[in-house]
Amino acid sequence: MTRVADPLSPASWPVSLQRAFENLPPVAWTVALSGGLDSVVLLHLAMAWQQHRARPHTLRAVHINHGLQSQSNAWASVCQHICDRLAVPLEIVPVAVEGDSGKGLEDAARDARYEAFEQNLRSGEVLLLGHHADDQAETQLYRMMRGSGLAGFAAMPESRPLGQAQLYRPLLSQTRQALAELARESGLFWIEDPSNANDHYDRNYLRNRVLPILKRRWPDASERMERNARHGREAVILLNELAEMDAACTVEASTGDLLLEPLLQLSEPRQRNFVQWWLRTSGLPPLGEKQLLNALPEFLAARADGTAEISGPGFVIRRYNGRAMVLNQAVLGHRPDSTLWQPPGALSWGEGQLVAERSEGKGLVPFEPGFTVRSRQGGEHIVLASGQRQPLKKWLQGRRIPPWERAALPLIWQADVLVGIGDLWIHPDYRALAGQSGWVIRWHSPPFRARATGAAKPLR
């Protein structure tokens, strides 16, 4: 970097750094301040840019105290000192890191940090992170070793939504060496985290052992890997746009279900890309590699009346009537015990609820001491308005009710006579006539459709 009298002045910055700050939205900025080199330099650069602007906007900092080091509180005090000297408001946020979450300490701390950022940020605010080109290279190598696919190869995005706010990384084009030179020339003070020297952690191993070897052979390795990551991010964008185009003919707008016939017309790589996109946009985690390569083709090739399914964390994908749908695994398969129901009290039935409302001339004729509600056992028959008997299974199939919804239906009995099925059917001999009191049944079906689990987190 060529320096002028004030190394922090935007006039002395590389063009790539100037462009990164020019692209930041002119709204309130919050700098994530750990006290390390990257974040301290970023805070001073943000301050210098604000002073450079004719109409500066709000600037503040936030420090996340993980409490994992004996020096954690001292680091928070250092951050407070830096911000006091710059007259920048600082908020110190303590977090609890789940050490036994199964993610590993690094990932657990990272998740806790981002969740704290999201909760701390205001609507429309911008969070600035100090990740640089060497961090990007480290992240790319780390995700490659984890087999994270193209999205992992794309490494960290320059910006992405974070709750109601937006996250930006304006230093991705700068190497750590360049930032360290700027910090020394500017007389800045920063903290060195001793845990960064512990090669037991994967990221530290890549940073301390692998990247130096690559840089000895290719001095500009970090810059090259950032270019690769940028190409990867563009490829991800193109694949998402392709999936959006495919959605026009493969997703039923009213339900979000997949239409299997048009999906089967796509090539297998395109099918895999689309299914992953479909899950992510539903707020659900994508499928693993083995499920994509093995379970998905078997699922799509299954017989129309087959029972093929694909399971994910908290959800299951099932097919019915030419569609694939994502279901909430927690509500499937519940078969409540037979129970007595005395309207007008509501009856919780599995994950659903039966409600009865008093009426005249319609509904189910009251019965004392009440009704017995049971799950389907198989072999039941219903009586149609014509007086003919029909197997219940065939009647439900004719109404195109999926098997999992059939299994959850409450069957209402009077002694040994089936007199009602949820709010779908009433035995003609037990229907209230004109002038007769009756119970109008309302069946609130379980929430079969899967909702976002919170597991579908963007790559950080």
Side-chain angles (χ1 to χ4, degrees):
M1 292 185 183
T2 302
R3 305 294 184 210
V4 294
D6 181 4
L8 288 174
S9 169
S12 70
W13 298 357
V15 173
S16 58
L17 185 58
Q18 293 180 12
R19 187 177 300 118
F21 273 83
E22 287 170 355
N23 290 337
L24 295 176
V27 297
W29 290 357
T30 295
V31 174
L33 183 65
S34 67
L37 168 68
D38 323 330
S39 65
V40 169
V41 170
L42 176 60
L43 178 63
H44 283 81
L45 293 176
M47 188 77 180
W49 187 261
Q50 293 281 35
Q51 294 170 346
H52 165 74
R53 291 176 55 86
R55 301 173 65 181
H57 39 266
T58 304
L59 176 67
R60 69 184 184 105
V62 60
H63 173 79
I64 307 299
N65 186 346
H66 301 87
L68 297 176
Q69 304 277 355
S70 59
Q71 311 99 313
S72 293
N73 291 334
W75 294 343
S77 298
V78 169
C79 291
Q80 187 67 67
H81 174 73
I82 293 171
C83 288
D84 289 346
R85 187 168 55 83
L86 295 174
V88 173
L90 172 69
E91 183 168 357
I92 298 173
V93 181
V95 297
V97 178
E98 298 180 25
D100 58 351
S101 64
K103 303 175 183 177
L105 191 60
E106 287 179 290
D107 288 344
R110 188 168 296 105
D111 285 348
R113 183 164 61 251
Y114 278 90
E115 287 171 9
F117 285 146
E118 187 170 338
Q119 293 171 7
N120 182 269
L121 292 169
R122 307 177 184 105
S123 178
E125 200 169 10
V126 161
L127 176 69
L128 302 182
L129 297 181
H131 296 120
H132 48 68
D134 294 292
D135 291 326
Q136 187 74 302
E138 169 195 316
T139 299
Q140 191 178 62
L141 287 171
Y142 178 65
R143 291 180 178 167
M144 286 172 62
M145 293 302 98
R146 295 183 68 177
S148 299
L150 184 58
F153 183 77
M156 296 180 289
E158 295 172 357
S159 68
R160 69 169 179 85
L162 183 65
Q164 301 180 43
Q166 192 77 12
L167 175 157
Y168 282 85
R169 297 181 171 97
L171 304 185
L172 282 182
S173 62
Q174 312 302 307
T175 64
R176 188 183 192 282
Q177 181 179 349
L179 297 179
E181 290 175 4
L182 187 152
R184 283 191 290 268
E185 291 180 16
S186 304
L188 304 184
F189 173 80
W190 65 89
I191 299 165
E192 292 289 355
D193 184 349
S195 69
N196 287 338
N198 185 351
D199 291 344
H200 168 76
Y201 299 113
D202 292 340
R203 288 179 177 272
N204 288 352
Y205 182 83
L206 291 169
R207 182 187 310 126
N208 300 330
R209 299 287 189 91
V210 177
L211 274 174
I213 294 174
L214 293 176
K215 287 189 173 186
R216 282 199 294 272
R217 178 75 177 187
W218 298 282
D220 61 344
S222 292
E223 293 92 328
R224 293 187 185 196
M225 294 179 75
E226 164 54 19
R227 287 200 299 272
N228 286 336
R230 188 168 62 251
H231 294 319
R233 290 193 292 274
E234 290 181 356
V236 169
I237 290 171
L238 292 174
L239 288 174
N240 286 339
E241 290 178 352
L242 177 63
E244 289 174 4
M245 293 167 58
D246 290 338
C249 61
T250 55
V251 176
E252 189 176 65
S254 61
T255 62
D257 295 342
L258 287 191
L259 303 176
L260 293 175
E261 185 174 349
L263 181 63
L264 287 168
Q265 304 306 311
L266 305 179
S267 66
E268 289 189 5
R270 199 160 165 178
Q271 289 173 357
R272 292 192 290 268
N273 176 64
F274 179 77
V275 169
Q276 297 291 66
W277 174 89
W278 176 58
L279 289 171
R280 285 196 305 271
T281 54
S282 300
L284 297 166
L287 300 178
E289 185 78 4
K290 289 183 179 179
Q291 288 177 305
L292 270 183
L293 296 178
N294 301 321
L296 181 60
E298 292 176 4
F299 177 83
L300 295 177
R303 300 193 326 268
D305 59 349
T307 58
E309 65 178 38
I310 303 175
S311 295
F315 70 88
V316 61
I317 304 175
R318 288 185 178 175
R319 52 184 295 163
Y320 179 72
N321 195 30
R323 290 167 170 77
M325 51 206 76
V326 187
L327 305 174
N328 183 353
Q329 202 166 43
V331 305
L332 296 175
H334 281 200
R335 297 183 65 85
D337 295 331
S338 174
T339 187
L340 179 67
W341 180 36
Q342 296 175 308
L347 175 67
S348 293
W349 184 253
E351 297 293 326
Q353 187 182 58
L354 272 174
V355 177
E357 300 171 358
R358 179 75 74 174
S359 182
E360 277 198 17
K362 57 183 178 179
L364 193 58
V365 173
F367 178 72
E368 295 297 338
F371 302 99
T372 301
V373 181
R374 302 174 189 159
S375 299
R376 284 185 62 208
Q377 303 299 317
E380 297 91 352
H381 286 71
I382 65 168
V383 178
L384 304 177
S386 63
Q388 291 182 318
R389 284 165 51 86
Q390 186 177 48
L392 176 57
K393 180 179 180 180
K394 182 177 180 180
W395 184 81
L396 292 172
Q397 288 175 334
R399 297 178 67 92
R400 295 189 180 277
I401 297 175
W404 51 90
E405 292 188 22
R406 298 177 215 159
L409 285 171
L411 273 55
I412 304 169
W413 296 77
Q414 181 175 316
D416 59 352
V417 179
L418 179 60
V419 297
I421 302 171
D423 52 11
L424 300 178
W425 169 86
I426 294 177
H427 193 298
D429 293 342
Y430 293 81
R431 186 184 299 273
L433 303 176
Q436 275 188 306
S437 178
W439 292 117
V440 174
I441 308 299
R442 302 282 183 242
W443 166 234
H444 300 287
S445 180
F448 288 108
R449 300 289 177 156
R451 296 292 181 263
T453 62
K457 296 178 181 177
L459 292 174
R460 303 300 194 184

